[in-house]
């Protein structure tokens, strides 16, 4: 089976459409979204609709939470974008569409277990808003230890917008150090971040996502795998999209800071 993992779309429809087209060309069985569907970007409504249509399930990100409830410890441009996004949802004239989007947003899952796999937006300890940074493996090994203690086998997170694999030494491997792929040992614990579709921050401006190839459905993982099953493997994928189109759409909205567009050019 193949599961595409997307995260941190942030209202960037151009990036999301490019990623979905790439996914469709790869014969993927299902798509999972790790949250932050909205916030920052110019097309929140369309992104919510596409995720609702295409994803098996989606997690609650801190920006989804901020639009639904209230932003907490956001900087000015992020807070302004959250209020702007909320207005787009509220001003939808079609009653049915407005209510459908609000209830989808309100129904996003905070934490989901499937066999040995844990899905969260941010971290197993604080699923909506704790960052797991690559530097933590050096500067905060105690934090990494307590996070790994909460994992049975694998945990998928977004939130930092930086793709890669954390192992429990602890260590961090960006996709470039892995040749873009990582094979899991059966008993190994790992935390995997697919990077961000709509606002990458690893200095590569292309949209980022990952494809997991697994022998058995995730729900039953941890039970005996089929005899001929190869090891599960994660592949990190980057996709070009029309960044300038998004920069222009952000520039046209006075309540969205131009910085939110400019940072897309550099992937920061
Ligand atoms: Zn995010």
């Amino acid at each position: 089976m193949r599961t595409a993992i997307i995260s941190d779309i942030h209202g960037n429809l151009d990036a999301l459409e490019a990623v979905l087209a790439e996914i469709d060309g790869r014969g993927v069985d299902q798509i999972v979204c790790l949250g932050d569907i909205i916030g920052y970007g110019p097309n929140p409504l369309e992104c919510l609709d596409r995720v609702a249509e295409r994803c098996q399930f989606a997690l609650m990100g801190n920006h989804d939470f901020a639009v639904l409830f209230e932003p907490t410890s956001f900087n000015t441009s992020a807070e302004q974008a959250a209020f702007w996004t909320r207005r787009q949802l509220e001003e939808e004239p079609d009653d049915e569409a407005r209510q459908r989007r609000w209830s989808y947003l309100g129904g996003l899952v905070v934490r989901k277990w499937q066999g040995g796999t844990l899905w969260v937006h941010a971290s197993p300890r604080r699923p909506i808003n704790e960052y797991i940074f690559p530097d933590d493996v050096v500067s905060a090994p105690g934090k990494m230890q307590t996070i790994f203690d909460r994992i049975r086998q694998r945990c998928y997170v977004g939130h930092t917008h930086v793709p890669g694999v954390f192992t429990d030494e602890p260590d961090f491997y960006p996709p470039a150090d892995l040749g873009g792929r990582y094979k899991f040992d059966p008993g190994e614990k790992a935390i995997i971040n697919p990077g961000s579709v709509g606002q990458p921050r690893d200095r590569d401006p292309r949209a980022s996502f990952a494809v997991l190839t697994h022998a058995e459905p995730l729900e039953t993982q941890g039970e005996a795998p089929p005899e001929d099953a190869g090891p599960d493997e994660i592949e990190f994928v980057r996709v070009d999209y029309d960044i300038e189109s998004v920069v222009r759409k952000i520039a046209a909205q006075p309540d969205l800071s131009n910085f939110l567009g400019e940072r897309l050019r550099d992937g920061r």
Side-chain angles (χ1 to χ4, degrees):
M1 277 191 79
R2 309 186 87 197
T3 299
I5 303 158
I6 63 175
S7 190
D8 296 278
I9 297 156
H10 285 293
N12 185 337
L13 182 65
D14 301 66
L16 177 59
E17 294 289 16
V19 162
L20 291 173
E22 176 69 25
I23 286 172
D24 288 339
R26 286 171 170 254
V28 162
D29 298 289
Q30 60 174 0
I31 310 174
V32 170
C33 174
L34 302 181
D36 276 5
I37 302 164
I38 55 177
Y40 295 137
N43 293 106
L45 308 185
E46 297 88 341
C47 288
L48 273 172
D49 292 347
R50 299 295 276 145
V51 169
E53 282 162 22
R54 299 298 311 274
C55 294
Q56 199 76 14
F57 59 88
L59 281 293
M60 174 78 74
N62 56 317
H63 286 259
D64 309 314
F65 184 91
V67 171
L68 194 55
F69 301 108
E70 201 61 21
T72 41
S73 49
F74 273 28
N75 63 39
T76 309
S77 67
E79 187 175 279
Q80 248 189 337
F83 291 137
W84 177 84
T85 301
R86 184 183 295 164
R87 278 206 306 283
Q88 309 313 302
L89 280 148
E90 280 170 350
E91 287 169 3
E92 165 64 58
D94 177 345
D95 275 348
E96 190 276 325
R98 189 177 63 249
Q99 284 165 20
R100 173 170 43 83
R101 291 190 190 114
W102 276 121
S103 61
Y104 187 75
L105 204 54
L108 294 175
V109 193
V110 170
R111 178 190 341 234
K112 186 176 177 80
W113 284 101
Q114 287 185 309
T117 298
L118 174 62
W119 306 91
V120 287
H121 174 66
S123 98
R125 298 196 299 190
R126 286 166 53 207
I128 294 179
N129 53 21
E130 180 177 49
Y131 290 92
I132 307 176
F133 290 113
D135 284 353
D136 288 342
V137 302
V138 177
S139 62
K143 167 184 170 182
M144 294 305 297
Q145 184 60 54
T146 61
I147 286 171
F148 269 102
D149 285 347
R150 301 217 178 184
I151 295 172
R152 276 185 234 150
Q153 189 177 25
R154 268 170 239 151
C155 176
Y156 295 91
V157 301
H159 198 40
T160 61
H161 301 202
V162 177
V165 175
F166 294 87
T167 56
D168 66 354
E169 282 98 4
D171 221 334
F172 175 76
Y173 301 92
D177 289 5
L178 301 168
R181 290 164 186 273
Y182 186 79
K183 275 188 171 53
F184 301 104
D185 289 334
E188 172 186 35
K189 284 189 179 187
I191 299 170
I192 304 96
N193 191 320
S196 168
V197 169
Q199 197 193 82
R201 291 181 193 157
D202 61 340
R203 302 269 162 191
D204 180 343
R206 296 173 299 167
S208 181
F209 71 102
V211 178
L212 174 68
T213 303
H214 46 109
E216 46 184 335
L218 295 169
E219 291 83 347
T220 58
Q221 209 146 37
E223 296 166 20
E227 289 288 311
D228 58 349
D232 289 2
E233 182 180 82
I234 189 96
E235 179 186 358
F236 293 91
V237 185
R238 300 306 280 249
V239 181
D240 281 310
Y241 72 97
D242 188 351
I243 292 173
E244 293 309 315
S245 152
V246 186
V247 173
R248 284 193 299 272
K249 284 190 264 184
I250 290 174
Q253 295 295 345
D255 285 341
L256 296 180
S257 158
N258 286 349
F259 170 67
L260 296 174
E262 286 154 15
R263 69 188 302 177
L264 298 176
R265 293 185 177 129
D266 309 319
R268 68 190 163 105

